[in-house]
Amino acid sequence: MPVKVSPVRKPVKKPPVSRSDARIKQIAISTGGGDAPGLNAVIRAAVLSALNRGWACVGIRDGYNGLMLPEQYPAGGLIPLTRESVRGITHLGGTLLGTTNKGNPLRYPTQLKDGTLTERDRSDEVVGAFRKHKIDALIAIGGDGSLEIANAFARKGLRVIGVPKTIDNDLDKTVITFGFDTAVSFATECLDRLHSTAQAHRRVMVVEVMGRYAGWIALNSGVSGSADAILIPEIPYDIERVGEAIEARVRRGRDFSIVVVAEGAQPKGGTRSVVETEIGRAERLGGIGEKVAKDLQAITGKDTRHVVLGHLLRGGTPTSFDRLLSLRFGAAAVRALDEGQSGVMVALDPPTVRYVPLEQATRRMKIVPLDCDTILTARDLGICFGD
Ligand code: F6P
């Protein structure tokens, strides 16, 4: 019997496409809230990782304003993101897309006919704009507010991956956010510089740092920069105690002191220092450094000055730690989309980057635990918390 020989089939060489390549053709990237060093590095990593999968990329200008207020952008509210546009930006502060903390689509400030301002939910409009521009997925880089918006978009059926950003480090479910290390490093350098002038004039220097309702920046820079007192929102302070600590130092022959104050710190039984509140944006904190300096001068009789580091903490080149973390987060966000994930945030869980539901990440703020070892270390070193 003749043997039937089947024709030799040549193996079909499939192009190395990713699983979700059939569905994702274009992604958008948005940066929202206050800027933080490392944003550009996230953008670069996300863009290159997407382009390498054959996906096109656009950036939305100023949070979601590029989609909500197209008339304000004659050159277009969307920026095409190519290899050229993300070249050489890893080390640059700021964000090439622009950002805003006034454009929350869930609570958009809107003027009524009588001139008063109110908040309106415009998220459906944004989702519609995504469809109109054939955007298949979104990488939303931002803090608690931006990730809450991202979560709302995910619930409305958009494919969304969140990337946690804030110098404040107050986002839950990630060990650290990019921007924090740069802010702490700069604040520490400032404390080093202030030591010599404080010592030369035998003064008390009070240094106010950002951080909103969490004391991470104040605590970490204060301990690293050898502060004598650190006042954080998590430990309401008694100014008399801080005065006593300064006077005790004088008795030991140390007639100068450095006090670091988080902008959200508050005296026992008192309130936070708020500069202004405005519809559609978070309250602005500030002024506590000046208050603490005045009070300490009155209590100790020592010449006292205050310095507000403010937005300087948000500027400049990201540290290598923040650059690497940002690049890892950007690439991981694209991998998540490629794996078909949505509604999750990339998070650092050393030694790896993992994904946590946005729902969980935005549930609560990460404040400094009072029993954490950095607080214990500070207490062991004799640093006063005003309690
Ligand atoms: O959340 C980042 C942050 O820099 C806070 O530390 C600070 O309270 C706030 O933003 C300041 O925001 P703005 O840019 O509106 O001054």
Side-chain angles (χ1 to χ4, degrees):
M1 217 175 135
V3 182
K4 215 173 151 195
V5 181
S6 47
V8 180
R9 277 223 218 117
K10 271 196 186 160
V12 184
K13 231 185 164 191
K14 284 193 185 148
V17 292
S18 53
R19 193 154 48 86
S20 55
D21 192 69
R23 282 172 289 147
I24 294 185
K25 292 198 170 55
Q26 175 168 245
I27 67 164
I29 302 175
S30 138
T31 53
D35 66 320
L39 278 171
N40 282 321
V42 180
I43 295 170
R44 178 165 174 269
V47 168
L48 294 182
S49 307
L51 295 179
N52 288 338
R53 284 167 169 80
W55 306 346
C57 285
V58 287
I60 307 169
R61 298 195 55 189
D62 303 337
Y64 298 100
N65 282 350
L67 290 176
M68 287 193 291
L69 307 167
E71 69 284 358
Q72 289 191 7
Y73 300 92
L78 296 177
I79 305 176
L81 293 173
T82 61
R83 286 180 197 281
E84 289 66 41
S85 50
V86 298
R87 190 164 289 150
I89 63 168
T90 304
H91 64 293
L92 300 180
T95 158
L96 75 91
L97 303 178
T99 186
T100 177
N101 46 20
K102 283 183 176 177
N104 183 342
L106 301 174
R107 289 184 282 278
Y108 206 82
T110 308
Q111 200 161 27
L112 295 175
K113 278 191 185 128
D114 63 4
T116 53
L117 270 184
T118 184
E119 293 175 350
R120 194 158 62 91
D121 184 351
R122 294 182 60 184
S123 55
D124 283 336
E125 259 176 73
V126 181
V127 172
F130 277 112
R131 303 233 155 88
K132 184 179 143 206
H133 291 284
K134 299 198 178 350
I135 294 166
D136 305 310
L138 167 72
I139 294 179
I141 314 168
D144 52 349
S146 307
L147 295 174
E148 189 196 337
I149 300 164
N151 192 28
F153 288 154
R155 282 203 305 264
K156 287 176 191 279
L158 203 70
R159 287 179 69 167
V160 185
I161 306 297
V163 176
K165 162 248 54 163
T166 170
I167 64 162
D168 304 338
N169 195 36
D170 59 354
L171 279 171
D172 202 21
K173 303 292 173 199
T174 181
V175 166
I176 206 165
T177 46
F178 68 86
F180 175 64
D181 186 61
T182 309
V184 170
S185 301
F186 180 72
T188 305
E189 190 193 323
C190 292
L191 295 178
D192 291 346
R193 287 168 184 250
L194 289 168
H195 262 90
S196 52
T197 177
Q199 190 162 16
H201 287 265
R202 296 185 296 279
R203 277 178 177 151
V204 175
M205 298 297 302
V206 177
V207 188
E208 180 184 310
V209 295
M210 282 187 170
R212 221 182 273 281
Y213 310 122
W216 294 107
I217 298 178
L219 177 66
N220 285 22
S221 63
V223 174
S224 311
S226 305
D228 305 297
I230 303 173
L231 308 182
I232 59 175
E234 293 83 349
I235 307 177
Y237 66 86
D238 176 347
I239 199 69
E240 296 288 340
R241 290 250 178 275
V242 186
E244 281 163 20
I246 290 169
E247 282 161 356
R249 273 177 59 77
V250 174
R251 287 195 296 277
R252 291 200 302 273
R254 307 294 282 162
D255 53 6
F256 71 95
S257 286
I258 303 282
V259 179
V260 178
V261 187
E263 62 179 357
Q266 52 187 316
K268 276 184 187 159
T271 51
R272 271 193 286 266
S273 288
V274 177
V275 179
E276 69 171 347
T277 48
E278 201 186 308
I279 293 270
R281 60 181 293 181
E283 66 182 9
R284 267 183 66 209
L285 300 175
I288 190 71
E290 186 174 6
K291 178 175 162 43
V292 166
K294 273 193 189 137
D295 292 349
L296 287 178
Q297 176 145 344
I299 291 170
T300 64
K302 287 190 72 60
D303 206 13
T304 303
R305 296 285 187 274
H306 79 277
V307 179
V308 180
L309 296 184
H311 295 81
L312 289 169
L313 298 176
R314 296 218 309 234
T317 300
T319 58
S320 58
F321 179 89
D322 276 341
R323 285 187 211 188
L324 180 59
L325 183 61
S326 304
L327 294 167
R328 290 172 71 191
F329 276 178
V334 170
R335 285 200 302 277
L337 285 175
D338 203 3
E339 288 162 12
Q341 300 205 56
S342 179
V344 294
M345 176 187 91
V346 301
L348 184 68
D349 185 6
T352 195
V353 169
R354 67 185 181 104
Y355 305 108
V356 291
L358 277 167
E359 200 80 55
Q360 282 179 21
T362 52
R363 207 171 284 158
R364 59 171 206 150
M365 190 188 297
K366 183 178 71 189
I367 56 172
V368 177
L370 298 187
D371 58 354
C372 73
D373 82 283
T374 313
I375 297 254
L376 300 181
T377 302
R379 292 198 192 276
D380 285 337
L381 294 173
I383 297 174
C384 167
F385 283 99
D387 56 344

